Amino acid sequence: MGAKNKYSVLLPTYNERENLPIIVWLLVKSFTEREKKLGLGTAYIHGIKHATGNFIIIMDADLSHHPKFIPKFIEKQKEKDYDVVSGTRYSGSGGVYGWDLKRKIISRGANYVTQVLLRPGASDLTGSFRLYKKSVLEKLVQSCKSKGYVFQMEMIIRARQFGFTIGEVPISFVDRVYGESKLGGNEIFQFAKGLLFLFATT
């Protein structure tokens, strides 16, 4: 236990270059250890290769995730040596800001249906603000087949299948400052398709 833990941060980005100076500044301010900015599935694999920490924090680069929550993730992980710590918008003091009612209903509904069908033991399956033990993240990424919106969900489902432990930290999610929303009709269709795939294979 004498060895000091090291944390790498992966920022998968897509047309969000404008945010990088702000997010990196916030990271440096929030967390005195080292950060890595690299930029789902294949982006993670690329990032893992370059991450030197024994823990990896993954968050969006669009400013919807605030680095101020990182110390809480680290604290939660240490409580029970969790394999994964997931940010949750749907538990405790967690919340969503900047979404219209329709999007809130779709997101809540997607999470509810997933809870009923898959019983994942985590309250927020589609969020992507998470801390992983590096070895656990490597195993999960290799085992996941889904793309896009469903990928985050499958990561949690597979974690449960492998018997990995999952802790949760309530977070405030603020809708993107730059870039476009990822949730359209096609994403909802892909989500439903992915949910059925996971239901059939777990």
Side-chain angles (χ1 to χ4, degrees):
M1 293 298 287
K4 199 166 162 42
N5 288 324
K6 187 176 177 186
Y7 300 85
S8 295
V9 177
L10 305 188
L11 297 173
T13 61
Y14 180 72
N15 288 347
E16 288 153 342
R17 214 172 27 191
E18 302 96 328
N19 299 334
L20 288 175
I22 308 168
I23 200 80
V24 171
W25 179 79
L26 286 169
L27 278 165
V28 169
K29 187 170 177 262
S30 295
F31 145 55
T32 53
E33 288 165 80
R34 241 162 262 177
E35 102 292 326
K36 269 210 181 287
K37 55 185 194 302
L38 297 161
L40 272 299
T42 53
Y44 284 14
I45 291 165
H46 180 75
I48 291 165
K49 282 179 191 162
H50 292 82
T52 55
N54 55 328
F55 287 94
I56 294 181
I57 293 153
I58 296 180
M59 57 193 294
D60 288 350
D62 61 11
L63 305 179
S64 55
H65 297 150
H66 199 298
K68 71 181 179 185
F69 293 106
I70 290 173
K72 292 179 181 175
F73 278 63
I74 293 169
E75 217 175 282
K76 173 59 78 174
Q77 191 282 324
K78 287 177 176 171
E79 272 177 28
K80 293 186 178 173
D81 191 29
Y82 286 111
D83 297 308
V84 180
V85 176
S86 184
T88 177
R89 300 161 289 183
Y90 303 125
S91 175
S93 57
V96 173
Y97 303 91
W99 280 5
D100 60 17
L101 184 62
K102 179 185 166 193
R103 189 158 178 209
K104 282 183 179 175
I105 290 168
I106 289 168
S107 180
R108 281 273 190 184
N111 260 283
Y112 176 74
V113 170
T114 307
Q115 296 291 340
V116 170
L117 288 180
L118 301 175
R119 306 205 175 279
S123 63
D124 188 345
L125 299 187
T126 54
S128 55
F129 195 176
R130 294 179 187 157
L131 178 151
Y132 297 88
K133 288 180 178 174
K134 185 178 182 181
S135 56
V136 168
L137 180 59
E138 284 170 330
K139 186 165 185 181
L140 289 176
V141 170
Q142 284 162 8
S143 71
C144 285
K145 310 278 187 294
S146 306
K147 301 276 185 291
Y149 195 62
V150 184
F151 181 78
Q152 302 297 353
M153 197 164 78
E154 184 175 1
M155 292 280 279
I156 292 289
I157 303 301
R158 300 295 174 207
R160 279 284 180 226
Q161 271 191 318
F162 287 129
F164 292 136
T165 53
I166 303 169
E168 289 194 312
V169 168
I171 60 160
S172 309
F173 174 93
V174 182
D175 201 12
R176 66 202 61 242
V177 176
Y178 299 104
E180 295 167 22
S181 166
K182 297 176 189 121
L183 194 62
N186 184 49
E187 282 72 21
I188 294 166
F189 172 72
Q190 293 302 330
F191 166 78
K193 202 170 93 172
L195 182 61
L196 290 172
F197 162 73
L198 288 175
F199 185 62
T201 59
T202 57

